[in-house]
Amino acid sequence: MAGGRNAAIIGTGSVIPPRIVTNKDLEKYIQTSDEWIRERTGIHERRVVEDDIAASDIATQAGLLAMEKAGVSAEDLDLIIVSTVTPDMAFPSTACLVQNNIGAKNAAAFDLEAACSGFSYGMTIAKQFIETGTYTYILVIGVDILSKITNWRDRHTCILFGDGAGAAVLGPVNKGEGILATCLGADGSGGHVLKLPAGGSRMPASHETVEKKLHYIDMDGSEVFKFAVRIMASTTKEVLKKANISLEDIDLLIPHQANIRIIDGAIKRLGIDRDKVFINLHKYGNTSSASIPVALDEAIAEGRVKKGQIIVLAGFGAGLTWGSSVMKWV
Ligand code: UT7
């Protein structure tokens, strides 16, 4: 490609487990109500995997769907990046498990951990490899099975999360199209507001850590909330500025699906209408790394993403981390 090349998403896929847990189901074992959850979060139900399903299982399925859409075979893949906070195990990486499952024998593979911002981090890494000509086809997967690290007796967290996997194949396109710009950021000083305390080298698993329920998500919801509204708006502005695109030019904004009030707060700050924003959190809750790629795949299936349109992705997560990208859809 004369004059260099850009990277673009050339195929997507997603997997959402069939088992539905409604707000009414949650009412049976925690002090909550369908009304409270709908009003405070916008979530109606979430999906949860069966006990024998792990991240690599649904990541593999989502990856294969994305490859089929992209028309890219397993042998064509140069790299597999899996973003997850719920890998099958600490090592080998979930990306290596996926590589083996799909038979991508020419692909390097690694996991990255940026929580709900992970898909944006993965896309940004893939973009660099493709633009430099180092690699041609890269599979980026966001997958999380938060149901297995959620305390289903903690009403502050269990109402929010769900399981899922979303994938995208990235490949080369001409300059001026595909991914026009990305922005990543982190603020480790806020790490304590959203964490999984035990199971790492700081606090290895023991009877005591299990008894104290330290292997479950620990979150200061209102601190995450305030950060999220602010950062979703600022990262969107920053990425648009980098690409020299104005807010009015956005055809569709796909935000991290965490809470409808966070999305509304952010788009109010930006001055974007709700009809330009893709929302599916009422069906799936917050699926962490999977949230943005699942939403993107659904938006494409619903005909809301068309060639030539300006599509913006924006997310935030534990770390604290954030990431955004602006694409001219190919
Ligand atoms: O990917 C990032 C992941 N994390 C997030 O996105 C979390 C962001 N934060 C949030 O979405 C919201 O902060 C929550 C949905 C977690 C909480 O909503 P809130 O409007 O910030 O409620 P709150 O925590 O201020 O709680 C208000 C009241 C409290 O009552 P008191 O203590 O003031 O009497 C809570 O105890 O609502 C109570 N409450 C509940 N009531 C019914 C908290 N959770 C529930 C519940 N059902 N599930």
Side-chain angles (χ1 to χ4, degrees), residues 91-109:
F91 61 88
S93 69
T94 301
C96 282
L97 302 174
V98 171
Q99 187 242 21
N100 183 50
N101 287 348
I102 64 181
K105 56 181 193 294
N106 302 317

Side-chain angles (χ1 to χ4, degrees), residues 191-214:
H192 60 283
V193 303
L194 183 50
K195 62 182 187 290
L196 188 77
S201 57
R202 176 71 58 200
M203 222 189 276
S206 67
H207 287 294
E208 196 190 347
T209 60
V210 173
E211 264 163 30
K212 288 185 173 165
K213 300 190 172 19
L214 295 170

Side-chain angles (χ1 to χ4, degrees), residues 32 36 40 116 155-156 159 219 221 256 258-259 261 286 316:
T32 192
W36 192 96
R40 309 297 277 189
C116 310
R155 69 176 184 170
H156 295 100
I159 55 159
M219 184 180 73
H256 172 43
N259 184 321
R261 292 190 296 129
N286 177 350
F316 64 90

Side-chain angles (χ1 to χ4, degrees), residues 49 52-62 82-89 94-95 97-98 101 111 141-146 148 164-165:
V49 295
D52 61 343
I53 298 294
S56 67
D57 299 322
I58 56 174
T60 299
Q61 288 173 33
V82 173
S83 160
T84 186
V85 296
T86 49
D88 287 32
M89 53 193 105
T94 301
L97 302 174
V98 171
N101 287 348
D111 285 3
I141 304 175
V143 57
D144 266 310
I145 302 208
L146 293 187
K148 296 202 185 184

Side-chain angles (χ1 to χ4, degrees), residues 65-80:
L65 289 168
M67 287 158 61
E68 197 185 321
K69 290 263 178 59
V72 165
S73 72
E75 287 80 25
D76 292 336
L77 289 177
D78 299 306
L79 176 64
I80 299 172

